[in-house]
Amino acid sequence: MRSLVRWADFKRRLIGRPLASDQAEHQLLPKTLALPVFASDPLSSVAYATEEAMLVLALAGAGAFVFLTPISIAIATLLAVVVVSYRQTIKAYPSGGGAFIVANENLGLGAGVIAAAALLTDYTLTVAVSVTAGVAAITSAYPGLLDNRVAMAIGFVILVTVVNLRGAKESSILFAIPTYAFVATVFTMIVVGFVECLDGECPQAISAQVDLEPITAIGALVILRAFASGSTALTGVEAVADGVQAFRPPKARNAAATLGIMGIISITMFLGISTLARLFGVRISEETVDTYGTVISQIGRAAFNEGIGFWLLQVFTAGILLLAANTAYQDFPRLSAILARHKLMPRQFRNLGDRLVFSNGVLVLATIASLLIWVFDAQVSRLIQLYVVGVFLSFTLSQSGMVRRWIRMKGPGWRRGAVIQAIGASVTGVVLIVIASVKFVHGAWIVIIAIALLSVGMLSIRRHYLGVADRLRLAAEPPPPTSNRAIVLASHTGRATQRAIEYAEMVRPQDITVVHVREPGDEDLLDTWDRLYPQHPLKLLESDQGRPFRRLRDYIEEQVDLNPDAFVTVIIPELVRRRRLGSLVTHPHGLVVKLLLLFVPRVVVTDLTYHRPRVRRRDEIADPDHITSQQVVVLAADMTIPVRRAMAYVEMLGAEEVVAAHLNTDEEQRDRMLRSWDPELGPLTILESPYRGVTRPLLRYVRRLRRDAPDGTLIHVVIPEFVVPGFWSQILHNQTAFAIKATFIFEPGVAVTSVPWHLATMETEDELNATLG
């Protein structure tokens, strides 16, 4: 327990104190902070978009650079079309969601899933490419760091992750300065560069005299591939449309204005850098980039004559490239949460962390991006081949969906809106085909396969969740068992075992059986049991070839089969010496037994702990010496079959007081629960959780009941659980019950009972048997 306290203190110092749910409004962003957060990716793309186009043209020799200007103009025109199109999307869908919401609503679930998969892939690559490009800017200034670029890149991913875990507003304040500084420095460089060219002689880049031997002849394929690589300038444009809800009111208007400003700045900088690259005679190839530096660094070196301006440019370029990943950190978790609400992603992605951030999405994004950086050796030119396909796929689906929406709704100005969106969809669709074709063998095939697999996975997750929901709300639910039989597991004599027997007698089951599996060193137990507990003879089970867990499970399954109309309650007494997991000694394998029994239908498991007497604080509550009564708290997350079965089970216990409690961590779920609650089950108590936690509010409530209860009262927490078949299916659920059980192990005077409902008849996996048996 002490280690958990230390972890909580470290976490608070690292990411800050928790924020209450009602503080969410204060985390919304004004336009001045939203621009660096959502536009850092597209603004930073100009730092390497020109370079990526030139690297392809270099394959045809230095003479091919003459095509850089028309290619850049085409890319800038495309960027303008996409910006205008997404401004209309923001006005039509002010709740955000971007390409997924648009495609899902207008083109169907399949198109929406593909758009979402493309966006998730794009956001992951954004982090990997942006951070890697930022490290490349640093190594351009300090070539001696080249060998450490992978470690540096992953280190920066960790840094950006920690900053984002601290909250959207805090990260935006931190990232605003380098973003605006980068924009100001690039505009200064462009102005200075053009001024120096006014006399007819432009300063020349350090690589201007480098001879680039052509590898292939210039042709349509090379030009199209250069256009495809340079189209990275469009990455991140959709981020504002995805994150409308992060803006201050009026959300849609502020988001559209931010997108417009971002478009103007990006187009101006991109065209300026491409033009100066031609005027300054920049030459670059895969072989020379590490020697002479990136395109923007060569332009800055020439424009500022290697003065302070050049070094500021390098610093701010590295900064904006590293922080451009922040755009993905804002939208990947937010999109994942939207998908989780549509049952297309694991529901854990809906959980808000301590700082009102979808922290699970942040951590998953950081992990996958770091893996990509390691696999591709932190090389921008290798990672960039995977880029852009997902971007233009989501562009095309989003704008096609908007065309369908305009035609269907026929609101004011629908013809004009449909034309704009149709032009955007057509252009981005053509670009998508070009990019997929010319970059397929260079790595785009990996992204296409990833999008397909991710789409199939999301649809599978949705089928699972819908199937679970249908089973949990069956109109003709099976009748619950009508009786209760108790089995007490005994591995030692002592106070913990005595209390377990007292509890079993108090709840008046149909019968009580005390079971012990033979194991070495249990002679004292066998010699003293009949003398200490003559009214409860010990049922001895022989270990199955050294596998006591399997023998115990087999016996309990036999009892379940012999009593088809009864709950079988297995009571596990555990002695707690100290407040840590290794101190549970009375039933040394209690955790393993509980895990095995979770998969046996109609088996209820009661965990009854006894805390060894010790010196206590004045306000600390001790275990009652004898259990004379109980107060039952049934946790009810939703009005489902497991909750009804748990209430039916509790009726058999003869408790003096029963409370059904709902923990309010989500307003929508709370309202749904209040509407669906069956008043015949008794009143429903709402436990508020302002910080969205589960265990702490429940722990405070139970402690309050414990303090107010008469001596000898056991507070009994009953957890309705549904058990899904298969290991991978378990991952799709929050495992909240496990966290609650782990919390109350160390709480004196509290018992925890799990009442499971199995969605399908299932056996514990063979691997689990092999591991635990």
Side-chain angles (χ1 to χ4, degrees), residues 53-62 64-65 212-216 222 283-287:
M54 293 183 70
L55 285 172
V56 177
L57 292 173
L59 298 175
F65 290 146
L212 299 179
E213 291 293 332
I215 300 175
T216 184
V222 173
R283 297 186 178 186
I284 191 170
S285 68
E286 296 285 358
E287 292 73 26

Side-chain angles (χ1 to χ4, degrees), residues 52-97:
E52 292 306 318
M54 293 183 70
L55 285 172
V56 177
L57 292 173
L59 298 175
F65 290 146
V66 69
F67 292 98
L68 178 62
T69 299
I71 289 174
S72 298
I73 293 173
I75 292 172
T77 303
L78 179 60
L79 177 56
V81 171
V82 172
V83 168
V84 172
S85 177
Y86 266 102
R87 279 171 57 86
Q88 289 193 344
T89 300
I90 290 172
K91 295 174 183 178
Y93 291 92
S95 60

Side-chain angles (χ1 to χ4, degrees), residues 233-262:
L234 277 74
T235 57
V237 172
E238 80 290 341
V240 177
D242 289 339
V244 176
Q245 288 303 303
F247 286 78
R248 283 183 181 173
K251 296 177 183 290
R253 182 187 303 172
N254 287 336
T258 301
L259 181 58
I261 295 170
M262 180 212 71

Side-chain angles (χ1 to χ4, degrees), residues 133-292:
V135 170
I138 296 174
T139 55
S140 292
Y142 303 99
L145 296 175
L146 271 173
D147 293 339
N148 301 312
R149 61 188 175 193
V150 173
M152 290 172 60
I154 294 176
F156 282 121
V157 169
I158 295 173
L159 176 63
V160 177
T161 300
V162 171
V163 173
N164 275 277
L165 287 174
R166 295 184 64 89
K169 191 169 185 178
E170 190 161 337
S171 65
S172 67
I173 294 172
L174 180 64
F175 294 159
I177 295 176
T179 301
Y180 285 122
F182 169 75
V183 172
T185 306
V186 170
F187 270 107
T188 302
M189 178 190 73
I190 292 172
V191 171
V192 170
F194 282 124
V195 168
E196 291 182 347
C197 291
L198 290 178
D199 60 0
E201 292 188 11
C202 296
Q204 293 299 289
I206 190 175
S207 63
Q209 303 305 317
V210 174
D211 185 27
L212 299 179
E213 291 293 332
I215 300 175
T216 184
I218 188 67
L221 184 62
V222 173
I223 294 174
L224 287 175
R225 188 179 165 196
F227 175 79
S229 292
S231 294
T232 54
L234 277 74
T235 57
V237 172
E238 80 290 341
V240 177
D242 289 339
V244 176
Q245 288 303 303
F247 286 78
R248 283 183 181 173
K251 296 177 183 290
R253 182 187 303 172
N254 287 336
T258 301
L259 181 58
I261 295 170
M262 180 212 71
I264 293 171
I265 295 174
S266 295
I267 290 171
T268 304
M269 291 197 304
F270 174 65
L271 291 176
I273 291 173
S274 295
T275 303
L276 289 180
R278 292 289 297 127
L279 293 175
F280 287 13
V282 174
R283 297 186 178 186
I284 191 170
S285 68
E286 296 285 358
E287 292 73 26
T288 64
V289 63
D290 290 337
T291 303
Y292 299 105

Side-chain angles (χ1 to χ4, degrees), residues 55 60 79 106 127 142 205 224 257 265 272 310 331 357 409 435 464-465 481 493 504 560 591 620 645 707 724 748:
L55 285 172
L79 177 56
N106 298 286
V127 176
Y142 303 99
L224 287 175
I265 295 174
F310 166 68
D331 281 342
V357 173
M409 300 189 69
I435 291 173
H464 168 82
Y465 280 135
T493 58
V560 170
L591 182 61
E620 192 170 1
R645 288 174 64 87
R707 283 194 300 267
V724 293

Side-chain angles (χ1 to χ4, degrees), residues 439-470:
K439 299 183 76 170
F440 185 83
V441 297
H442 300 281
W445 64 270
I446 300 175
V447 176
I448 294 172
I449 292 176
I451 291 173
L453 292 176
L454 191 55
S455 299
V456 172
M458 286 193 287
L459 290 174
S460 298
I461 290 172
R462 180 175 171 82
R463 281 195 298 270
H464 168 82
Y465 280 135
L466 291 178
V468 168
D470 288 342

